[in-house]
Amino acid sequence: MFDVGKNGKTQEKQVWQTLPKDDFANIGMPSLVYVKPVKAAELAGDLGGDVEIDVAPDSTLYAVHAANGSRMAVLDSREAAFAGAVQYDLVPLSVH
């Protein structure tokens, strides 16, 4: 594919630039997951007011997300998050 750049010259687009948004979000599915640190207070807000988390609000937990961004699990250590992903034949990546 080609695109006209700011300078008026035609330039080639990268393949990923031509993907529909949903297809781009699913790259890496189902084998790639990412592990991201998250504060317990953030999770409490995501879960709604009727769900209680039995950890201090400032505790760091580790969320495991599918490549498309959907949260799959939350664990109390980075090592446990990575080990759990590997146990299910997933490839964990770290997000800072």
Side-chain angles (χ1 to χ4, degrees):
M1 297 217 139
F2 295 94
D3 190 21
V4 177
K6 291 180 183 177
N7 61 6
K9 293 183 179 179
T10 302
Q11 56 190 28
E12 189 173 343
K13 276 190 170 183
Q14 299 296 319
V15 172
W16 61 267
Q17 291 174 305
T18 64
L19 289 173
K21 187 177 180 179
D22 290 339
D23 289 347
F24 184 75
N26 288 315
I27 290 175
M29 292 289 290
S31 61
L32 294 177
V33 296
Y34 63 92
V35 177
K36 175 177 132 175
V38 62
K39 292 293 182 187
E42 294 175 41
L43 289 176
D46 290 350
L47 298 174
D50 59 338
V51 176
E52 291 186 32
I53 300 176
D54 193 22
V55 295
D58 62 340
S59 296
T60 299
L61 301 172
Y62 294 85
V64 179
H65 294 265
N68 67 3
S70 60
R71 187 169 46 226
M72 300 170 66
V74 177
L75 295 106
D76 63 353
S77 75
R78 183 178 182 276
E79 293 77 18
F82 271 73
V86 170
Q87 182 178 357
Y88 287 96
D89 296 324
L90 301 170
V91 179
L93 306 170
S94 183
V95 176
H96 300 282

